[in-house]
Amino acid sequence: MNAIKTNSVQISLCGFIRHTQPFRQLYRSGLDTYIIRLQAEGECEVLIDGDMVSVVPGDLLLFKPQDIYDLRIGEKKSPLGHSVDYFVMCTGEWVDQWWNLRERPKKVRIADDGKLQSIWQQLDLENRRLDGGSAEILEALFKALCLLLDRAMEEAPASSSASLLHGLKMKSYVEEHATSEIRLKDVAAHAGISVTRAVHVFKIQFGYSIMQYAGQIRLAMALRLMDNTNYTLERIAEETGFGSYTYFHRVFRERYGVSPGNYRKRE
């Protein structure tokens, strides 16, 4: 792939790869670019501080120019299956500034977030276009990716307890599907646990039920639409996942003490 350049971001390579064969990527003399790599499935190894360390799903690798980089995939058989990863190799003034905003360990655990992978996929697809892709779109997607990575690092669990990881997976699912019908069995299935376990874990981890959280997201979206669009209240109820205006009216009034109509009429 050709390098895509803008004034502040230069993307040399980016992609999504499923490795079915052994693979090694070695920069013995140091990298020319930054490497940002998210392990999505399976397992691999990377050299950090002189030792080969395991990289599993949810691990983010962050290497800067001049770092020695040695990535090995498939040299050891893993019960986690084939290694799958998202990656981007890049340079540029904006990348330098973003990198220096915080300490960046070479390997860090991040919170499970489907939005990250969606942005990464869009970045890859734009870069694959026959015309080379739009530099402006590529830069915007890359910057969004970096900022979402920062948030994912901040929201990563301090401990990797199964209960907390299940809770974060369910929370991410609800956020992504809030405008659709939320079914407890689908939320539980996303985390790979039973409905009974899902209901208990979510309540313990976040202090409210799955449906209460979905309602909070829908109400927040409704407020934004009421403040920033001319949509009818019936359309807002539909767009935000409430379904009927009657149900939206009841939930809104219970939460804010006024009807949606009166809220909109406020000065």
Coordinates of all heavy atoms in Angstrom, one line a residue, residues 167-256:
G167 N -18.7 -7.4 32.7 CA -19.5 -6.2 32.8 C -19.1 -5.2 31.7 O -20.0 -4.6 31.1
L168 N -17.9 -5.0 31.4 CA -17.4 -4.0 30.4 C -17.9 -4.5 29.0 O -18.3 -3.6 28.2 CB -15.9 -3.9 30.4 CG -15.4 -3.1 31.7 CD1 -13.9 -3.3 31.7 CD2 -15.8 -1.7 31.6
K169 N -17.9 -5.8 28.7 CA -18.4 -6.3 27.5 C -19.9 -6.0 27.3 O -20.3 -5.5 26.2 CB -18.1 -7.8 27.3 CG -16.7 -8.1 27.0 CD -16.5 -9.6 26.8 CE -15.1 -9.9 26.4 NZ -14.9 -11.4 26.1
M170 N -20.6 -6.2 28.3 CA -22.1 -5.9 28.3 C -22.3 -4.4 28.2 O -23.2 -4.0 27.4 CB -22.7 -6.5 29.5 CG -22.7 -8.0 29.5 SD -23.8 -8.7 30.9 CE -22.7 -8.3 32.3
K171 N -21.6 -3.6 28.9 CA -21.8 -2.2 28.8 C -21.5 -1.7 27.4 O -22.3 -0.9 26.9 CB -20.8 -1.5 29.8 CG -21.0 0.0 30.0 CD -20.1 0.4 31.2 CE -20.3 1.9 31.4 NZ -19.5 2.7 30.5
S172 N -20.5 -2.2 26.8 CA -20.2 -1.8 25.4 C -21.3 -2.2 24.4 O -21.6 -1.4 23.5 CB -18.8 -2.4 25.0 OG -18.5 -2.1 23.6
Y173 N -21.8 -3.4 24.7 CA -22.9 -3.9 23.8 C -24.1 -3.0 23.9 O -24.7 -2.6 22.9 CB -23.2 -5.3 24.2 CG -24.3 -5.9 23.3 CD1 -24.0 -6.6 22.2 CD2 -25.7 -5.8 23.7 CE1 -25.1 -7.1 21.4 CE2 -26.7 -6.3 22.9 CZ -26.4 -7.0 21.8 OH -27.4 -7.5 21.0
V174 N -24.5 -2.7 25.1 CA -25.7 -1.8 25.3 C -25.5 -0.5 24.7 O -26.4 0.1 24.1 CB -26.0 -1.7 26.8 CG1 -27.1 -0.7 27.1 CG2 -26.3 -3.0 27.4
E175 N -24.3 0.1 24.8 CA -24.0 1.4 24.2 C -24.1 1.4 22.7 O -24.7 2.3 22.1 CB -22.6 1.9 24.6 CG -22.5 2.2 26.1 CD -21.0 2.4 26.5 OE1 -20.1 2.1 25.7 OE2 -20.8 2.9 27.6
E176 N -23.7 0.3 22.1 CA -23.7 0.1 20.6 C -25.1 -0.1 20.1 O -25.5 0.3 19.0 CB -22.8 -1.0 20.2 CG -22.7 -1.2 18.7 CD -21.7 -2.3 18.3 OE1 -21.0 -2.8 19.2 OE2 -21.6 -2.6 17.1
H177 N -26.0 -0.8 20.9 CA -27.3 -1.2 20.5 C -28.5 -0.5 21.2 O -29.6 -0.9 21.1 CB -27.5 -2.7 20.6 CG -26.5 -3.5 19.8 ND1 -25.2 -3.9 20.2 CD2 -26.6 -4.1 18.6 CE1 -24.6 -4.6 19.3 NE2 -25.5 -4.7 18.3
A178 N -28.2 0.6 21.8 CA -29.2 1.3 22.6 C -30.4 1.7 21.8 O -31.5 1.8 22.4 CB -28.6 2.5 23.4
T179 N -30.2 2.1 20.6 CA -31.3 2.5 19.8 C -32.2 1.4 19.2 O -33.2 1.6 18.5 CB -30.9 3.5 18.6 OG1 -29.9 2.7 17.8 CG2 -30.2 4.7 19.2
S180 N -31.7 0.2 19.4 CA -32.5 -1.0 18.9 C -33.1 -1.7 20.1 O -32.9 -1.2 21.3 CB -31.5 -2.0 18.2 OG -30.8 -1.4 17.2
E181 N -33.8 -2.7 19.9 CA -34.4 -3.5 21.0 C -33.3 -4.2 21.8 O -32.5 -4.9 21.2 CB -35.4 -4.5 20.5 CG -36.0 -5.4 21.6 CD -36.9 -6.5 21.0 OE1 -37.0 -6.6 19.8 OE2 -37.5 -7.2 21.8
I182 N -33.3 -4.0 23.1 CA -32.2 -4.6 23.9 C -32.9 -5.8 24.6 O -33.9 -5.7 25.3 CB -31.7 -3.6 25.0 CG1 -31.0 -2.4 24.4 CG2 -30.8 -4.4 25.9 CD1 -29.7 -2.7 23.8
R183 N -32.3 -7.0 24.3 CA -32.8 -8.2 24.9 C -31.7 -8.8 25.8 O -30.6 -8.9 25.4 CB -33.2 -9.3 23.9 CG -34.3 -8.8 22.9 CD -34.8 -9.9 22.0 NE -33.7 -10.4 21.2 CZ -33.8 -11.4 20.3 NH1 -35.0 -12.0 20.2 NH2 -32.8 -11.8 19.6
L184 N -32.1 -9.1 27.0 CA -31.1 -9.6 28.0 C -30.4 -10.8 27.5 O -29.2 -10.9 27.8 CB -31.8 -9.9 29.3 CG -32.4 -8.7 30.1 CD1 -33.1 -9.2 31.4 CD2 -31.3 -7.8 30.5
K185 N -31.0 -11.7 26.8 CA -30.3 -12.9 26.3 C -29.2 -12.5 25.3 O -28.2 -13.2 25.3 CB -31.3 -13.9 25.7 CG -32.0 -13.4 24.4 CD -32.9 -14.5 23.9 CE -33.5 -14.2 22.5 NZ -34.3 -15.3 22.0
D186 N -29.4 -11.4 24.5 CA -28.4 -11.0 23.6 C -27.2 -10.4 24.3 O -26.1 -10.6 23.9 CB -29.0 -10.0 22.6 CG -30.0 -10.7 21.7 OD1 -29.9 -11.9 21.5 OD2 -30.9 -10.0 21.2
V187 N -27.5 -9.6 25.3 CA -26.5 -8.9 26.1 C -25.6 -10.0 26.8 O -24.4 -9.9 26.8 CB -27.1 -8.0 27.2 CG1 -26.0 -7.3 28.0 CG2 -27.9 -6.9 26.5
A188 N -26.3 -11.0 27.4 CA -25.6 -12.1 28.1 C -24.8 -12.9 27.1 O -23.6 -13.2 27.4 CB -26.6 -13.0 28.8
A189 N -25.3 -13.2 25.9 CA -24.6 -14.0 25.0 C -23.3 -13.2 24.5 O -22.3 -13.9 24.2 CB -25.5 -14.2 23.8
H190 N -23.4 -11.9 24.4 CA -22.2 -11.1 24.0 C -21.1 -11.3 25.0 O -19.9 -11.3 24.6 CB -22.6 -9.7 23.9 CG -21.5 -8.8 23.4 ND1 -21.0 -8.8 22.1 CD2 -20.7 -7.9 24.1 CE1 -20.0 -7.9 22.0 NE2 -19.8 -7.4 23.2
A191 N -21.4 -11.5 26.2 CA -20.4 -11.7 27.3 C -20.1 -13.1 27.5 O -19.1 -13.5 28.2 CB -20.8 -11.0 28.6
G192 N -20.9 -14.0 26.9 CA -20.6 -15.4 27.0 C -21.0 -16.0 28.4 O -20.4 -17.0 28.9
I193 N -22.1 -15.4 29.0 CA -22.6 -15.9 30.3 C -24.1 -16.0 30.3 O -24.7 -15.6 29.3 CB -22.1 -14.9 31.4 CG1 -22.6 -13.5 31.2 CG2 -20.6 -14.9 31.6 CD1 -22.3 -12.5 32.3
S194 N -24.7 -16.6 31.3 CA -26.1 -16.8 31.4 C -26.8 -15.5 31.7 O -26.2 -14.5 32.2 CB -26.5 -17.8 32.5 OG -26.2 -17.3 33.8
V195 N -28.1 -15.4 31.4 CA -28.9 -14.2 31.6 C -28.9 -13.9 33.1 O -28.7 -12.7 33.5 CB -30.3 -14.4 31.1 CG1 -31.2 -13.2 31.6 CG2 -30.3 -14.5 29.6
T196 N -29.1 -14.9 33.9 CA -29.1 -14.7 35.4 C -27.7 -14.1 35.9 O -27.7 -13.1 36.6 CB -29.3 -16.0 36.1 OG1 -30.6 -16.5 35.7 CG2 -29.4 -15.8 37.7
R197 N -26.6 -14.7 35.4 CA -25.3 -14.2 35.7 C -25.1 -12.7 35.2 O -24.6 -11.9 35.9 CB -24.3 -15.1 35.2 CG -22.8 -14.6 35.3 CD -22.3 -14.8 36.7 NE -20.9 -14.5 36.8 CZ -20.4 -14.0 37.9 NH1 -21.1 -13.9 39.0 NH2 -19.1 -13.8 38.0
A198 N -25.6 -12.5 34.0 CA -25.4 -11.2 33.4 C -26.1 -10.1 34.2 O -25.6 -9.0 34.4 CB -26.0 -11.2 31.9
V199 N -27.3 -10.3 34.6 CA -28.1 -9.4 35.3 C -27.4 -9.1 36.7 O -27.3 -7.9 37.1 CB -29.5 -9.9 35.6 CG1 -30.3 -9.0 36.6 CG2 -30.3 -10.0 34.3
H200 N -26.9 -10.1 37.3 CA -26.2 -9.9 38.6 C -24.9 -9.2 38.5 O -24.7 -8.2 39.2 CB -26.0 -11.3 39.2 CG -25.2 -11.3 40.5 ND1 -25.7 -10.8 41.7 CD2 -23.9 -11.6 40.7 CE1 -24.8 -10.9 42.6 NE2 -23.7 -11.3 42.1
V201 N -24.1 -9.6 37.5 CA -22.8 -8.9 37.3 C -22.9 -7.5 36.9 O -22.2 -6.6 37.5 CB -22.0 -9.7 36.2 CG1 -20.8 -8.8 35.7 CG2 -21.5 -11.0 36.7
F202 N -23.9 -7.1 36.0 CA -24.0 -5.7 35.6 C -24.4 -4.9 36.8 O -23.9 -3.8 37.0 CB -25.1 -5.6 34.5 CG -25.0 -4.4 33.7 CD1 -24.2 -4.4 32.5 CD2 -25.6 -3.2 34.1 CE1 -24.1 -3.2 31.7 CE2 -25.4 -2.1 33.3 CZ -24.7 -2.1 32.1
K203 N -25.4 -5.3 37.6 CA -25.8 -4.6 38.7 C -24.7 -4.4 39.7 O -24.5 -3.3 40.3 CB -27.0 -5.3 39.4 CG -27.6 -4.6 40.6 CD -28.4 -3.4 40.2 CE -29.2 -2.8 41.4 NZ -30.0 -1.6 41.0
I204 N -23.9 -5.4 40.0 CA -22.8 -5.3 41.0 C -21.7 -4.3 40.5 O -21.2 -3.5 41.2 CB -22.2 -6.7 41.2 CG1 -23.2 -7.6 42.0 CG2 -20.9 -6.6 42.0 CD1 -23.5 -7.1 43.4
Q205 N -21.4 -4.4 39.2 CA -20.3 -3.6 38.7 C -20.7 -2.1 38.5 O -19.8 -1.3 38.7 CB -19.8 -4.2 37.3 CG -19.2 -5.6 37.4 CD -17.9 -5.6 38.2 OE1 -17.2 -4.6 38.3 NE2 -17.6 -6.7 38.9
F206 N -21.9 -1.9 38.1 CA -22.3 -0.5 37.7 C -23.3 0.2 38.6 O -23.6 1.4 38.5 CB -22.7 -0.4 36.3 CG -21.6 -1.0 35.3 CD1 -21.9 -2.2 34.6 CD2 -20.4 -0.4 35.2 CE1 -20.9 -2.7 33.8 CE2 -19.4 -0.9 34.4 CZ -19.6 -2.1 33.7
G207 N -24.0 -0.6 39.4 CA -24.9 0.0 40.4 C -26.3 0.2 39.8 O -27.2 0.7 40.5
Y208 N -26.6 -0.2 38.6 CA -27.9 -0.1 38.0 C -28.1 -1.3 37.0 O -27.1 -2.0 36.6 CB -28.2 1.2 37.3 CG -27.0 1.8 36.6 CD1 -26.5 1.2 35.4 CD2 -26.3 2.8 37.2 CE1 -25.3 1.8 34.8 CE2 -25.1 3.4 36.6 CZ -24.7 2.8 35.4 OH -23.6 3.3 34.8
S209 N -29.3 -1.5 36.6 CA -29.6 -2.7 35.8 C -29.2 -2.4 34.3 O -29.0 -1.3 33.9 CB -31.1 -3.1 35.8 OG -31.9 -2.1 35.1
I210 N -29.2 -3.5 33.5 CA -28.9 -3.3 32.1 C -29.9 -2.4 31.4 O -29.6 -1.5 30.6 CB -28.9 -4.7 31.4 CG1 -27.7 -5.5 31.9 CG2 -28.9 -4.6 29.9 CD1 -27.7 -7.0 31.5
M211 N -31.2 -2.6 31.7 CA -32.3 -1.8 31.1 C -32.2 -0.4 31.6 O -32.5 0.5 30.8 CB -33.6 -2.5 31.4 CG -33.8 -3.8 30.6 SD -33.4 -3.6 28.9 CE -33.7 -5.3 28.3
Q212 N -31.9 -0.2 32.8 CA -31.7 1.2 33.3 C -30.6 1.9 32.6 O -30.8 3.1 32.3 CB -31.5 1.2 34.8 CG -32.7 0.9 35.7 CD -32.3 0.7 37.2 OE1 -31.2 0.3 37.5 NE2 -33.3 1.0 38.0
Y213 N -29.5 1.2 32.3 CA -28.4 1.9 31.6 C -28.8 2.2 30.2 O -28.5 3.3 29.7 CB -27.2 1.0 31.6 CG -26.0 1.6 31.0 CD1 -25.5 2.8 31.5 CD2 -25.3 1.0 29.9 CE1 -24.4 3.4 30.9 CE2 -24.2 1.6 29.4 CZ -23.7 2.8 29.9 OH -22.6 3.4 29.3
A214 N -29.5 1.2 29.5 CA -30.0 1.5 28.2 C -30.9 2.7 28.2 O -30.9 3.6 27.3 CB -30.8 0.3 27.6
G215 N -31.8 2.8 29.2 CA -32.7 4.0 29.3 C -31.9 5.3 29.5 O -32.3 6.3 28.9
Q216 N -30.8 5.3 30.3 CA -30.0 6.5 30.4 C -29.4 7.0 29.1 O -29.4 8.2 28.8 CB -28.9 6.2 31.4 CG -29.4 6.0 32.9 CD -28.2 5.7 33.8 OE1 -27.1 5.8 33.5 NE2 -28.6 5.1 35.0
I217 N -28.9 6.0 28.3 CA -28.3 6.3 27.0 C -29.4 6.9 26.1 O -29.2 7.9 25.4 CB -27.7 5.1 26.4 CG1 -26.5 4.6 27.3 CG2 -27.2 5.4 25.0 CD1 -25.9 3.3 26.8
R218 N -30.6 6.3 26.1 CA -31.6 6.8 25.2 C -32.1 8.2 25.6 O -32.3 9.0 24.7 CB -32.8 5.8 25.2 CG -32.5 4.4 24.6 CD -33.5 3.4 24.9 NE -33.3 2.2 24.2 CZ -33.9 1.0 24.5 NH1 -34.7 0.9 25.5 NH2 -33.6 -0.1 23.8
L219 N -32.2 8.4 26.9 CA -32.6 9.8 27.3 C -31.6 10.8 27.0 O -31.9 11.9 26.5 CB -32.9 9.8 28.8 CG -34.2 9.1 29.3 CD1 -34.2 9.0 30.8 CD2 -35.4 9.9 28.8
A220 N -30.3 10.5 27.1 CA -29.3 11.4 26.7 C -29.3 11.7 25.3 O -29.1 12.9 24.8 CB -27.9 10.8 27.1
M221 N -29.6 10.7 24.4 CA -29.7 10.9 23.0 C -30.9 11.8 22.7 O -30.8 12.7 21.8 CB -29.7 9.6 22.3 CG -28.5 8.7 22.4 SD -28.7 7.1 21.6 CE -28.9 7.6 19.9
A222 N -32.0 11.5 23.4 CA -33.2 12.3 23.1 C -33.0 13.8 23.4 O -33.5 14.6 22.7 CB -34.4 11.7 24.0
L223 N -32.3 14.0 24.5 CA -32.1 15.4 24.9 C -31.3 16.1 23.8 O -31.5 17.3 23.5 CB -31.3 15.5 26.2 CG -32.1 15.2 27.5 CD1 -31.2 15.2 28.7 CD2 -33.2 16.2 27.7
R224 N -30.2 15.5 23.3 CA -29.4 16.1 22.2 C -30.3 16.4 21.0 O -30.1 17.4 20.4 CB -28.2 15.2 21.9 CG -27.2 15.1 23.0 CD -25.9 14.5 22.4 NE -26.0 13.1 22.1 CZ -25.8 12.2 23.0 NH1 -25.4 12.4 24.2 NH2 -25.9 10.9 22.6
L225 N -31.1 15.4 20.6 CA -32.0 15.6 19.5 C -33.0 16.7 19.7 O -33.3 17.5 18.8 CB -32.7 14.3 19.1 CG -31.8 13.2 18.5 CD1 -32.6 11.9 18.3 CD2 -31.1 13.6 17.2
M226 N -33.5 16.8 20.9 CA -34.5 17.9 21.2 C -33.9 19.2 21.2 O -34.5 20.2 20.8 CB -35.1 17.6 22.5 CG -36.0 16.3 22.6 SD -36.5 15.8 24.2 CE -37.6 17.1 24.7
D227 N -32.6 19.3 21.6 CA -31.9 20.6 21.7 C -31.3 21.0 20.3 O -31.1 22.2 20.1 CB -30.8 20.5 22.7 CG -31.3 20.5 24.1 OD1 -32.4 20.9 24.3 OD2 -30.5 20.0 25.0
N228 N -31.0 20.1 19.4 CA -30.2 20.4 18.2 C -30.9 20.0 16.9 O -30.3 20.2 15.9 CB -28.9 19.6 18.3 CG -28.1 20.1 19.5 OD1 -27.6 21.2 19.6 ND2 -27.9 19.2 20.4
T229 N -32.2 19.5 16.9 CA -32.9 19.2 15.7 C -34.3 19.7 15.8 O -34.8 20.1 16.9 CB -32.9 17.7 15.4 OG1 -33.8 17.1 16.3 CG2 -31.5 17.1 15.6
N230 N -35.0 19.7 14.6 CA -36.4 20.0 14.6 C -37.3 18.8 14.5 O -38.4 18.9 14.1 CB -36.7 20.9 13.4 CG -36.0 22.3 13.5 OD1 -36.0 22.9 14.6 ND2 -35.5 22.8 12.5
Y231 N -36.7 17.6 14.8 CA -37.4 16.4 14.7 C -38.7 16.5 15.6 O -38.6 17.1 16.7 CB -36.6 15.2 15.2 CG -35.5 14.8 14.3 CD1 -34.6 13.8 14.7 CD2 -35.3 15.4 13.1 CE1 -33.5 13.4 13.9 CE2 -34.2 15.0 12.3 CZ -33.3 14.0 12.7 OH -32.3 13.6 11.9
T232 N -39.8 15.8 15.2 CA -40.9 15.7 16.0 C -40.6 14.8 17.2 O -39.7 14.0 17.2 CB -42.1 15.1 15.3 OG1 -41.8 13.8 14.9 CG2 -42.4 15.9 14.0
L233 N -41.4 15.0 18.3 CA -41.1 14.2 19.5 C -41.4 12.7 19.2 O -40.7 11.8 19.7 CB -42.0 14.6 20.6 CG -41.7 16.0 21.2 CD1 -42.7 16.5 22.2 CD2 -40.3 16.1 21.7
E234 N -42.4 12.4 18.3 CA -42.6 11.1 17.9 C -41.4 10.5 17.2 O -41.0 9.3 17.4 CB -43.8 11.0 17.0 CG -45.2 11.3 17.7 CD -45.4 12.7 18.0 OE1 -44.6 13.6 17.4 OE2 -46.3 13.1 18.7
R235 N -40.8 11.3 16.3 CA -39.6 10.7 15.6 C -38.4 10.5 16.6 O -37.7 9.6 16.5 CB -39.2 11.7 14.5 CG -38.0 11.2 13.7 CD -37.6 12.0 12.6 NE -36.4 11.5 11.9 CZ -35.8 12.1 10.9 NH1 -36.3 13.2 10.3 NH2 -34.7 11.6 10.4
I236 N -38.3 11.4 17.5 CA -37.2 11.3 18.5 C -37.4 10.0 19.3 O -36.4 9.3 19.6 CB -37.1 12.5 19.4 CG1 -36.6 13.7 18.6 CG2 -36.3 12.3 20.6 CD1 -36.7 15.0 19.4
A237 N -38.6 9.7 19.7 CA -38.9 8.5 20.4 C -38.5 7.3 19.6 O -37.9 6.3 20.2 CB -40.4 8.4 20.8
E238 N -38.8 7.3 18.3 CA -38.4 6.2 17.5 C -36.9 6.1 17.2 O -36.3 5.1 17.3 CB -39.1 6.4 16.1 CG -38.8 5.2 15.1 CD -39.5 5.4 13.8 OE1 -40.4 6.3 13.7 OE2 -39.3 4.6 12.9
E239 N -36.2 7.3 17.0 CA -34.8 7.3 16.7 C -34.0 6.8 17.9 O -32.9 6.3 17.7 CB -34.4 8.7 16.3 CG -34.9 9.2 15.0 CD -34.1 8.7 13.8 OE1 -33.0 8.2 14.0 OE2 -34.7 8.8 12.7
T240 N -34.4 7.1 19.1 CA -33.6 6.8 20.3 C -34.0 5.4 20.9 O -33.4 5.1 22.0 CB -33.8 7.9 21.3 OG1 -35.2 8.1 21.6 CG2 -33.2 9.2 20.8
G241 N -34.8 4.7 20.3 CA -35.1 3.3 20.7 C -36.2 3.1 21.7 O -36.5 2.0 22.2
F242 N -37.0 4.2 22.0 CA -38.1 4.1 22.9 C -39.3 3.4 22.2 O -40.2 2.9 22.9 CB -38.5 5.5 23.5 CG -37.6 6.0 24.5 CD1 -36.6 7.0 24.2 CD2 -37.7 5.5 25.8 CE1 -35.8 7.4 25.2 CE2 -36.8 6.0 26.8 CZ -35.8 7.0 26.5
G243 N -39.4 3.5 20.9 CA -40.5 2.9 20.2 C -41.7 3.8 20.1 O -41.8 4.5 19.1
S244 N -42.5 3.9 21.1 CA -43.7 4.7 21.1 C -43.5 6.0 21.8 O -42.7 6.1 22.8 CB -44.9 4.0 21.7 OG -44.7 3.9 23.1
Y245 N -44.2 7.1 21.4 CA -44.1 8.3 22.1 C -44.7 8.2 23.5 O -44.2 8.9 24.5 CB -44.8 9.4 21.3 CG -44.9 10.7 22.1 CD1 -43.7 11.5 22.3 CD2 -46.0 11.2 22.7 CE1 -43.7 12.6 23.0 CE2 -46.1 12.3 23.5 CZ -44.9 13.1 23.6 OH -44.9 14.2 24.4
T246 N -45.7 7.4 23.7 CA -46.3 7.3 25.0 C -45.3 6.8 26.0 O -45.2 7.3 27.1 CB -47.5 6.3 24.9 OG1 -48.4 6.7 24.0 CG2 -48.1 6.1 26.3
Y247 N -44.5 5.8 25.6 CA -43.5 5.2 26.5 C -42.4 6.3 26.8 O -41.9 6.5 27.9 CB -42.9 4.0 26.0 CG -41.8 3.3 26.8 CD1 -42.0 3.0 28.1 CD2 -40.6 3.1 26.3 CE1 -41.0 2.5 28.9 CE2 -39.6 2.5 27.1 CZ -39.8 2.2 28.4 OH -38.8 1.7 29.2
F248 N -42.0 6.9 25.7 CA -40.9 8.0 25.8 C -41.4 9.1 26.8 O -40.7 9.5 27.7 CB -40.6 8.6 24.4 CG -39.8 9.8 24.4 CD1 -38.6 9.8 25.1 CD2 -40.2 10.9 23.7 CE1 -37.8 11.0 25.1 CE2 -39.4 12.1 23.7 CZ -38.2 12.1 24.4
H249 N -42.7 9.5 26.6 CA -43.2 10.6 27.4 C -43.2 10.2 28.9 O -42.8 11.0 29.8 CB -44.7 10.9 27.0 CG -45.4 11.9 27.8 ND1 -45.9 11.7 29.0 CD2 -45.6 13.2 27.5 CE1 -46.4 12.9 29.5 NE2 -46.3 13.8 28.5
R250 N -43.6 8.9 29.2 CA -43.6 8.5 30.6 C -42.3 8.4 31.2 O -42.0 8.9 32.3 CB -44.3 7.1 30.7 CG -44.3 6.5 32.1 CD -45.3 5.3 32.2 NE -44.8 4.2 31.3 CZ -43.9 3.3 31.7 NH1 -43.3 3.5 32.9 NH2 -43.6 2.3 30.9
V251 N -41.3 7.8 30.5 CA -39.9 7.7 31.0 C -39.3 9.1 31.2 O -38.6 9.4 32.2 CB -39.1 6.8 30.1 CG1 -37.6 6.8 30.5 CG2 -39.6 5.4 30.1
F252 N -39.5 10.0 30.2 CA -38.9 11.3 30.3 C -39.4 12.1 31.5 O -38.7 12.7 32.2 CB -39.2 12.1 29.0 CG -38.4 13.3 28.8 CD1 -37.2 13.3 28.1 CD2 -38.8 14.5 29.4 CE1 -36.5 14.5 27.9 CE2 -38.1 15.7 29.2 CZ -36.9 15.7 28.5
R253 N -40.8 12.0 31.7 CA -41.4 12.8 32.8 C -40.9 12.2 34.1 O -40.7 13.0 35.1 CB -42.9 12.7 32.7 CG -43.6 13.6 33.6 CD -45.1 13.6 33.4 NE -45.8 14.6 34.2 CZ -46.0 15.8 33.9 NH1 -45.6 16.3 32.7 NH2 -46.6 16.7 34.7
E254 N -40.8 10.9 34.2 CA -40.3 10.3 35.5 C -38.9 10.8 35.8 O -38.5 11.0 37.0 CB -40.3 8.8 35.4 CG -41.8 8.2 35.4 CD -41.8 6.7 35.2 OE1 -40.7 6.1 34.9 OE2 -42.8 6.1 35.3
R255 N -38.1 10.9 34.8 CA -36.7 11.2 35.0 C -36.5 12.7 35.2 O -35.7 13.1 36.1 CB -35.8 10.8 33.7 CG -34.4 11.2 33.8 CD -33.6 10.4 34.9 NE -32.2 10.8 34.9 CZ -31.7 11.9 35.5 NH1 -32.5 12.7 36.1 NH2 -30.4 12.1 35.5
Y256 N -37.2 13.6 34.5 CA -36.9 15.0 34.5 C -38.0 15.9 35.1 O -37.8 17.1 35.3 CB -36.6 15.5 33.1 CG -35.4 14.9 32.5 CD1 -35.5 14.0 31.4 CD2 -34.1 15.1 33.0 CE1 -34.4 13.4 30.8 CE2 -33.0 14.5 32.4 CZ -33.1 13.6 31.4 OH -32.0 13.0 30.8

